[in-house]
Amino acid sequence: MNKTVTEIEEIVAMSRGDVKAFNALYARYHKPVHANILKLIDNRELATEVLQDVFYRFGRIDLRYR
């Protein structure tokens, strides 16, 4: 039986340093996130910079309890 990885599982995996999980989430969401940023900013170059910052910060989350 092939288990489908849920988004939550991908986020947890990404928070533990799984680059493959981050890449999967980026591939799934970068276009709609960029489109929404572009609606707010109306400047493609700046929207692309904001998108990079969003995913940079998203990729650095740490869900482990301290």
Side-chain angles (χ1 to χ4, degrees):
M1 178 181 224
N2 187 5
K3 182 181 176 199
T4 302
V5 177
T6 67
E7 291 173 351
I8 292 173
E9 290 170 327
E10 284 181 327
I11 291 168
V12 170
M14 180 202 63
S15 77
R16 294 181 177 147
D18 186 334
V19 175
K20 191 174 178 181
F22 175 84
N23 289 339
L25 289 163
Y26 180 83
R28 187 177 306 130
Y29 290 110
H30 80 277
K31 287 181 182 180
V33 171
H34 188 263
N36 282 310
I37 294 168
L38 192 53
K39 286 179 189 176
L40 294 170
I41 296 177
D42 196 28
N43 178 315
R44 185 168 300 280
E45 186 175 321
L46 185 55
T48 300
E49 288 182 36
V50 171
L51 176 73
Q52 291 173 354
D53 189 50
V54 165
F55 275 95
Y56 172 76
R57 291 171 188 256
F58 181 64
R60 294 179 46 107
I61 65 170
D62 185 353
L63 300 176
R64 293 173 287 193
Y65 291 112
R66 299 191 193 282

